[in-house]
């Protein structure tokens, strides 16, 4: 099972220091234990691999399990919750967003897979959170008579 960080900025920070595969292995190994956190450390026997530039460092990071969500499988025919599901490719999607004022609305938005971001968030410096997305339906094609 793969996990995602609820807070993307926290996930980005963790993955700048620790190897993503190693982090996922640590989360899976600790997910069902009796603690309410995941321990990522370079200092003990069950070390979490870092990127090369951070070799020979001693760091421990505790992340509350409430900050993580199990990743779900993408289903184009239904709403996919963010961030548990990531669009499979760049393109237009139907999205449900929550604006800063709390209003929830549905609109179309473009997803950039290279940056893992939505265009409207990027253009407006994140004034809305994407709650869920789904594939656009096929265009209507009238029957030819």
């Amino acid at each position: 099972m793969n996990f995602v960080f609820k807070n993307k900025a926290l996930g980005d920070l963790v993955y700048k220091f620790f190897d993503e595969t190693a982090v996922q292995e640590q989360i899976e190994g600790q997910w069902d234990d009796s603690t309410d956190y995941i321990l990522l450390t370079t200092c003990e026997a069950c070390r979490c691999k870092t990127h090369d530039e951070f070799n020979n460092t001693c760091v421990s990071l505790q992340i509350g399990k409430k900050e993580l969500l199990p990743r779900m499988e993408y289903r184009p025919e239904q709403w996919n919750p963010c961030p548990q599901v990531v669009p499979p490719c760049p393109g237009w999607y139907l999205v449900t967003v929550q604006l800063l004022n709390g209003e929830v609305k549905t609109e179309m938005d473009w997803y950039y897979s290279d940056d893992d971001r939505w265009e409207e968030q990027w253009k407006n410096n994140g004034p809305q959170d994407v709650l869920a997305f789904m594939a656009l339906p096929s265009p209507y094609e009238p029957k030819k008579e």
Side-chain angles (χ1 to χ4, degrees):
M1 179 185 311
N2 227 340
F3 292 84
V4 294
F5 288 86
K6 288 181 184 177
N7 180 332
K8 184 178 177 337
L10 174 59
D12 291 346
L13 179 71
V14 167
Y15 293 136
K16 279 184 183 178
F17 189 81
F18 293 103
D19 174 74
E20 185 171 353
T21 302
V23 169
Q24 290 295 322
E25 288 172 359
Q26 290 295 320
I27 294 170
E28 281 190 43
Q30 298 176 46
W31 189 251
D32 291 324
D33 68 15
S34 61
T35 65
D36 61 352
Y37 61 87
I38 301 297
L39 176 64
L40 303 175
T41 185
T42 63
C43 307
E44 297 173 13
C46 58
R47 298 171 57 93
C48 189
K49 182 179 177 196
T50 63
H51 297 290
D52 290 340
E53 65 265 26
F54 300 113
N55 280 348
N56 301 320
T57 60
C58 184
V59 174
S60 293
L61 179 63
Q62 287 184 356
I63 301 168
K65 290 179 181 175
K66 291 180 181 179
E67 297 298 320
L68 298 160
L69 295 167
R71 187 177 302 274
M72 297 169 60
E73 183 179 320
Y74 171 68
R75 296 211 159 95
E77 72 284 351
Q78 69 184 38
W79 286 103
N80 294 274
C82 288
Q84 297 100 310
V85 182
V86 176
C89 59
W92 288 104
Y93 292 88
L94 197 57
V95 295
T96 297
V97 298
Q98 183 168 20
L99 305 177
L100 286 177
N101 65 7
E103 179 186 354
V104 175
K105 66 180 193 171
T106 300
E107 58 188 28
M108 283 184 12
D109 201 352
W110 182 270
Y111 176 73
Y112 295 91
S113 59
D114 290 346
D115 300 335
D116 186 27
R117 66 177 171 81
W118 296 92
E119 184 165 327
E120 288 302 314
Q121 284 180 311
W122 178 73
K123 282 189 343 191
N124 300 315
N125 268 339
Q128 60 189 28
D129 283 330
V130 175
L131 303 175
F133 69 94
M134 71 183 305
L136 292 173
S138 300
Y140 172 75
E141 293 186 29
K143 294 180 183 177
K144 295 181 181 178
E145 296 181 50

